[in-house]
Amino acid sequence: MTLQQRQEQENSRTHSVATHCPYCAFQCGMLLGGSPQQPWIEGDRRFQVNKGGLCLKGWTAPETLAHAERLRTPLKRQPDGRLLPVSWDEALESVVHFIQATQQRYGKEAVGVFGSGALTNEEAYLLGKFARLALNTSQIDYNGRFCMSSAAEAMNRAFGLDRGLPFPLEDLAQAEVILLVGSNIAETMPPLMQYLDRQQRAGGLLITVDPRQSLTARSGQRHLRLTPGSDAALANGLLHILIRDGLIDEEYITRRTNNFAAARAMAAAYWPERVERLTGVPEQDLTAVAHLLAQARSAIILTGRGAEQQRQGVTNVLAYINVALALGLVGKPGSGFGSLTGQGNGQGGREHGQKANQLPGYRRIDDPAARAYLAHVWGINAEELPGPGRSAYEMLSSLGTPNGVRCLFVMGSNLVVSAPSALHIEERLAALDSLIVCDFFLSETARLATIVLPVTQWAEEEGTLTNLEGRVIHRRRVFQPPAGVWDEISVLCELARRLGKGQYFPFRSAREVFEELRRASAGGLADYAGITYEKIDAHQGVFWPCPSLEHPGTPRLFSDGFPTADGRARFHVTHYQGPGEEPDQDYPLYLSTGRILTHYQSGSQTRRIGQLQALSPEPLIEIHPTTARVHGLQEGDLALLSTRRASMQGRIKITEAIREDTLFVPFHWGDTQAVNRLTNPALDPISRMPEFKVCAARIERLTNPDA
Ligand code: SF4
């Protein structure tokens, strides 16, 4: 390095700004400086969550800022089908025209809004307000429905409150035993592994539950390689053994819970031999894990998408919560139950009103008191607020149908890659009268749009996000956005003004939106009333609920009671139903999907980063050596993977880390490489979460890829 280069680096370091990674819910702190063209980046050692750690995705994240494919001008679909640049004025006028024409012809509900767990709290809040107040439609939901809704529903039902981790991450390092279900942290959130490493260095045990022996499973001491879709049976089996062997915490159950008798009666039907048949997990392993959990002075049970993205995702999570309650773990220091949120703002994004059934502060939209309160904050009559709308997949399935949405406004979501049965969703999008997409790249979804609005990226905007612990953090602006790009708050406020509702959207900054969000959430379960940007900066984040300026925030929940009507947690009856599709003669294997180290979600950002794309240019189909032999497949072969919905092409990766009856494919690619074209849209009846994690599939060698 030359002296000049060293000097430039030092200048960048001196002038760097502390902000956060744009990707996952771990929200690593980073120092960012230099310029968008020549960014300088370092993990923020002072930020106590990641303590300086970043994964490959975080290190390379600034490459998206000055990327050649960055959208810098609005685009409009022309009569000849091409998407061509237009001015902001023309684009916004067209959006207003599409909205008004649709609502005049088909009614208010014919305009829908689709948000994202990537939006800041301010953007998510404003999007919910925009839908209800500027568009007067109930049709709003977001891609977090595909991520966190099962865990959220289960925690609400069992504890009266959903916060992914009801305790700080630091507790993980203190737990004697951690049972990690359906999550591959070592690839999805690598810096989080430092907590598990510390836990194990102190003598703690990590037990994983996963059909694959993932990188995370390999770092633990025990691994239960269950049959895909059998989580409820496995958890019920654990509960059965705990009861049978007198290992439950009777005093805790009596003092702090309800409905144990029903759970006990249910668990009686899950004797270990039966559970072994249902899950493939040997009886002695199940018994050993139940005893390890019970004997530990502190233990934590964590679930991830593996258990949650199923048509009985809520039941699965409730079954693991039953185990945690039976052991008296919840609310005890160093112990508990939690769910690992995935998307960057998957926690805050589900709290402040971009869900179909929700108003800010985790209020329910069908609760008259909540409606009256929000109407007061927004200066309208409660009758003007629409009621609950359709959930994400149901809204998307309604697109272009007689009583469905005809004009869709999408912010921050690439849903033709991330939605289940994605080909079906693509067909529905094509049936729309108009599709408006706000994005910074021409994603697979933006390519289908009538209007594309180019918006800012993470390092060009200010706002707050809420990480997987419930810690509200401050995303600081580092760079000015490129000319021609607007921030989402300005887009929403300007559209509202042109729709004649500008008086409700007077915001000139994220801070001003946050001030209203504080009032809107006050008194709700997710109470942000006492949180300010200054307080976040002074304390490295503030945990909600934080009801007043004097309040320090709440890192640990449930120590003294649960926010339920009687202050107790609730056991549930959680019978195993099995997945929507079981392997059969035509489709003899299970297919499961997930994330890998090098890419994030739909891949719209990470597939544009050279280093990441070079490492993982295409989806690999993981298959067991025995299964590969049976199907005549070898490492690197091109294969055709099919389900009842669609087919995709992918290369074969042979690994003993997967069960013989299961295939695994990451979901970060689009078009013919999109595994979500194949996944089953069967919905959980409570959370409306699609069953991404398990369906029936077949695989064959592809001799002629063009055919
Ligand atoms: Fe940290 Fe997640 Fe970003 Fe990786 S992707 S750097 S784990 S926030």
Side-chain angles (χ1 to χ4, degrees):
M1 190 183 288
T2 65
L3 208 58
Q4 191 188 350
Q5 283 170 328
R6 200 165 288 146
Q7 186 59 51
E8 280 171 7
Q9 195 182 64
E10 198 44 48
N11 286 345
S12 296
R13 186 194 297 264
T14 312
H15 294 109
S16 65
V17 176
T19 191
H20 294 272
C21 174
Y23 299 125
C24 82
F26 199 55
Q27 280 300 295
C28 291
M30 56 170 60
L31 303 175
L32 186 58
S35 66
Q37 292 72 26
Q38 282 192 306
W40 178 88
I41 182 174
E42 188 177 85
D44 186 354
R45 290 190 188 86
R46 288 167 306 178
F47 187 57
Q48 56 194 234
V49 174
N50 59 311
K51 302 173 176 42
L54 292 178
C55 77
L56 194 54
K57 295 184 285 284
W59 280 112
T60 54
E63 281 187 41
T64 56
L65 296 168
H67 196 281
E69 292 175 39
R70 183 80 193 268
L71 295 174
R72 290 160 195 271
T73 176
L75 303 172
K76 183 177 177 185
R77 182 84 51 197
Q78 304 299 314
D80 64 5
R82 290 182 300 161
L83 264 180
L84 291 182
V86 293
S87 68
W88 268 98
D89 186 53
E90 183 178 345
L92 292 171
E93 268 314 297
S94 299
V95 173
V96 169
H97 164 76
F98 288 132
I99 289 169
Q100 289 176 334
T102 303
Q103 291 194 321
Q104 273 161 18
R105 187 149 178 218
Y106 301 105
K108 300 280 187 195
E109 300 283 285
V111 174
V113 174
F114 200 87
S116 166
L119 302 180
T120 62
N121 290 325
E122 292 81 352
E123 291 160 356
Y125 167 80
L126 205 60
L127 192 64
K129 183 176 180 182
F130 178 77
R132 272 95 185 205
L133 224 155
L135 302 178
N136 209 239
T137 180
S138 69
Q139 300 299 300
I140 174 169
D141 215 57
Y142 80 128
N143 61 15
R145 179 76 67 176
F146 300 150
C147 184
M148 291 310 300
S149 56
S150 286
E153 284 290 348
M155 292 176 86
N156 276 327
R157 282 165 188 246
F159 307 141
L161 177 69
D162 151 47
R163 199 181 83 187
L165 295 185
F167 46 77
L169 280 162
E170 204 50 47
D171 283 18
L172 295 179
Q174 317 301 330
E176 249 183 45
V177 174
I178 294 176
L179 183 72
L180 178 65
V181 183
S183 178
N184 185 10
I185 295 169
E187 290 204 56
T188 55
M189 297 181 182
L192 198 155
M193 287 300 286
Q194 62 188 292
Y195 292 89
L196 304 189
D197 292 343
R198 274 169 52 204
Q199 181 247 355
Q200 289 173 78
R201 277 203 301 276
L205 289 179
L206 172 63
I207 303 165
T208 54
V209 180
D210 198 318
R212 298 163 72 213
Q213 193 185 29
S214 65
L215 207 54
T216 315
R218 272 174 259 159
S219 75
Q221 285 69 44
R222 276 178 183 267
H223 173 213
L224 305 182
R225 198 187 288 206
L226 82 174
T227 307
S230 65
D231 288 272
L234 188 140
N236 292 343
L238 288 173
L239 184 61
H240 179 104
I241 294 164
L242 293 173
I243 295 168
R244 182 196 69 188
D245 296 351
L247 298 171
I248 57 174
D249 187 337
E250 302 267 11
E251 191 273 330
Y252 177 96
I253 292 169
T254 307
R255 190 168 51 85
R256 301 206 54 186
T257 71
N258 274 328
N259 208 32
F260 177 64
R264 179 198 287 265
M266 177 272 304
Y270 293 85
W271 59 94
E273 300 87 338
R274 179 179 177 225
V275 172
E276 179 172 335
R277 280 199 302 279
L278 294 173
T279 65
V281 174
E283 181 187 340
Q284 64 270 26
D285 290 357
L286 200 67
T287 303
V289 167
H291 281 249
L292 285 169
L293 280 167
Q295 285 155 6
R297 281 192 303 271
S298 55
I300 290 176
I301 299 176
L302 298 170
T303 60
R305 301 305 81 72
E308 298 164 11
Q309 288 179 325
Q310 296 181 29
R311 71 159 185 164
Q312 66 166 150
V314 176
T315 300
N316 290 341
V317 179
L318 285 169
Y320 287 111
I321 289 176
N322 280 347
V323 175
L325 290 175
L327 289 167
L329 302 179
V330 184
K332 206 168 107 183
S335 292
F337 172 87
S339 165
L340 294 163
T341 301
Q343 283 183 284
N345 198 26
Q347 180 66 56
R350 68 186 194 256
E351 297 166 358
H352 297 298
Q354 63 171 333
K355 281 175 83 171
N357 53 349
Q358 186 198 68
L359 291 172
Y362 258 147
R363 290 181 162 89
R364 291 189 62 90
I365 202 165
D366 55 3
D367 172 3
R371 294 172 65 82
Y373 180 76
L374 250 294
H376 169 71
V377 172
W378 287 350
I380 57 170
N381 293 319
E383 304 77 57
E384 295 174 55
L385 275 175
R390 296 181 181 95
S391 72
Y393 188 77
E394 287 158 318
M395 178 174 43
L396 295 177
S397 291
S398 85
L399 301 181
T401 60
N403 294 317
V405 166
R406 314 290 300 224
C407 167
L408 184 69
F409 185 87
V410 179
M411 191 168 256
S413 182
N414 187 11
L415 45 95
V416 302
V417 178
S418 58
S421 193
L423 263 185
H424 166 65
I425 298 305
E426 215 170 311
E427 280 165 20
R428 297 315 330 147
L429 287 169
L432 283 167
D433 295 354
S434 49
L435 171 64
I436 298 130
V437 176
C438 303
D439 211 326
F440 39 83
F441 287 127
L442 198 63
S443 67
E444 285 81 357
T445 306
R447 284 199 321 237
L448 306 175
T450 323
I451 301 281
V452 182
L453 301 176
V455 290
T456 45
Q457 292 195 47
W458 57 289
E460 301 157 355
E461 62 186 18
E462 185 174 43
T464 62
L465 294 93
T466 306
N467 81 350
L468 75 174
E469 303 165 287
R471 182 196 300 256
V472 184
I473 57 164
H474 185 186
R475 170 184 281 181
R476 294 180 187 82
R477 175 183 293 160
V478 185
F479 304 120
Q480 289 300 322
V485 165
W486 283 31
D487 64 85
E488 281 95 332
I489 289 173
S490 299
V491 170
L492 293 173
C493 291
E494 178 58 19
L495 282 174
R497 189 186 71 76
R498 291 180 186 226
L499 287 162
K501 297 292 176 78
Q503 69 271 33
Y504 302 110
F505 294 82
F507 311 105
R508 286 162 304 170
S509 68
R511 282 177 189 249
E512 290 184 1
V513 178
F514 192 73
E515 287 307 304
E516 188 177 287
L517 185 159
R518 288 175 58 201
R519 281 189 286 123
S521 71
L525 286 169
D527 190 335
Y528 283 39
I531 304 177
T532 64
Y533 280 31
E534 291 72 24
K535 195 164 166 181
I536 295 171
D537 293 346
H539 301 283
Q540 299 204 4
V542 180
F543 290 80
W544 68 261
C546 181
S548 68
L549 287 173
E550 300 71 40
H551 195 284
T554 316
R556 268 187 201 81
L557 296 164
F558 315 142
S559 306
D560 306 320
F562 294 92
T564 52
D566 58 7
R568 291 161 173 261
R570 186 170 181 80
F571 279 92
H572 285 80
V573 172
T574 53
H575 278 296
Y576 160 79
Q577 285 179 353
E581 283 182 357
E582 291 282 3
D584 57 19
Q585 224 176 359
D586 296 330
Y587 297 92
L589 297 164
Y590 288 109
L591 168 63
S592 193
T593 66
R595 287 165 51 191
I596 55 173
L597 176 67
T598 38
H599 287 292
Y600 180 70
Q601 301 298 81
S602 81
S604 179
Q605 289 140 285
T606 50
R607 277 186 279 124
R608 289 180 163 87
I609 294 176
Q611 193 182 344
L612 302 181
Q613 189 61 3
L615 285 167
S616 305
E618 58 184 347
L620 298 179
I621 302 169
E622 291 188 19
I623 185 169
H624 190 275
T626 308
T627 318
R629 218 169 19 252
V630 167
H631 289 82
L633 292 162
Q634 295 187 348
E635 182 82 9
D637 276 355
L638 202 55
L640 187 70
L641 176 63
S642 307
T643 67
R644 288 189 170 79
R645 289 152 292 283
S647 299
M648 69 168 281
Q649 298 178 15
R651 288 202 185 277
I652 289 295
K653 177 181 173 186
I654 296 178
T655 170
E656 293 197 344
I658 195 154
R659 290 169 54 99
E660 286 184 28
D661 59 3
T662 304
L663 305 167
F664 173 85
V665 183
F667 63 81
H668 310 294
W669 285 266
D671 301 323
T672 56
Q673 296 178 319
V675 72
N676 273 333
R677 289 183 173 186
L678 280 62
T679 46
N680 188 356
L683 299 181
D684 182 291
I686 302 164
S687 67
R688 320 308 285 162
M689 164 77 87
E691 190 159 57
F692 290 100
K693 282 292 183 275
V694 47
C695 64
R698 72 162 174 257
I699 190 153
E700 56 210 295
R701 192 153 168 265
L702 200 58
T703 41
N704 180 2
D706 295 334

